Amino acid sequence: IERERARAAGAVRAAGGLAFEWDPETDTVEWSEGLERLTGFSADDIAPGSAGWRDHVLPEDVWKISEATQYYLLTGENKPLPYRFRRKNGEIVWFSTTVERVRDTRGRERVFGLVRDVTEQIQASEELRASEERFRTLADFVPDIIWTASALGHTDWLNRRWKEYSGRAAPNSPVGWRESFHPEDFERIY
């Protein structure tokens, strides 16, 4: 058993996460050694039960944990929703939790979970979204038509000048472009 625990602890460390075991019947939680590394809190700093964890989740994100937990308990499917957590030093980070329900030898239900810090992924996603928004804004103010298309010629994106110039929605197939040109001009273009 000790060997298996050591293996599991190594896997959790390698994943950069925090493992826990929750007994829904008694609402008790046991935390792995990664608690302090990930949150700055010791097990004694966190109030007993699942509410102790939620005490450190930003109030506007608590519903995400409740929803994901209820969804899992009803369906058995994970629905990891990133949520913000306030570390002991006051820093706000993003966590995501996945769980697995298991019955022990006495038939009692236990929930094993893994909490991961997804702050870098969330920040990268937000930076990408902001960059795309800056590009769209810039492209919409260029006095020319700008578009992107797949290798097969399917339009991925058009700036607003296309609709202003042509009065048409984006063509949804390579052949759709043909309709946008005068028949005499089409042969010269293609």
Side-chain angles (χ1 to χ4, degrees), residues 39-154:
T39 68
F41 294 106
S42 70
D44 293 334
D45 293 332
I46 295 191
S50 56
W53 183 260
R54 284 193 302 268
D55 288 345
H56 303 284
V57 172
L58 269 57
E60 56 269 33
D61 286 357
V62 169
W63 69 270
K64 292 179 180 182
I65 294 176
S66 298
E67 181 179 300
T69 302
Q70 290 307 312
Y71 183 82
Y72 179 77
L73 292 175
L74 290 172
T75 67
E77 295 177 33
N78 271 300
K79 186 179 180 181
L81 298 171
Y83 58 91
R84 290 166 293 173
F85 185 95
R86 186 179 311 278
R87 287 186 169 147
K88 187 173 185 175
N89 66 6
E91 177 186 15
I92 306 294
V93 292
W94 287 88
F95 286 159
S96 182
T97 303
T98 53
V99 294
E100 185 65 34
R101 187 171 21 191
V102 176
R103 296 213 177 269
D104 67 16
T105 55
R106 293 177 293 210
R108 290 181 35 206
E109 186 175 81
R110 297 269 195 251
V111 176
F112 292 90
L114 179 66
V115 177
R116 290 182 37 246
D117 184 339
V118 294
T119 304
E120 288 181 9
Q121 293 94 318
I122 296 288
Q123 288 171 342
S125 178
E126 288 174 353
E127 288 171 14
L128 177 61
R129 187 179 37 75
S131 176
E132 288 172 347
E133 184 62 32
R134 284 190 304 273
F135 168 77
R136 280 192 294 279
T137 300
L138 176 65
D140 278 342
F141 284 99
V142 170
D144 294 313
I145 297 170
I146 300 175
W147 74 94
T148 60
S150 71
L152 297 175
H154 294 278

Side-chain angles (χ1 to χ4, degrees), residues 7-24:
R7 238 185 242 164
V12 169
R13 276 193 306 277
L18 161 65
F20 65 90
E21 179 181 343
W22 174 48
D23 181 342

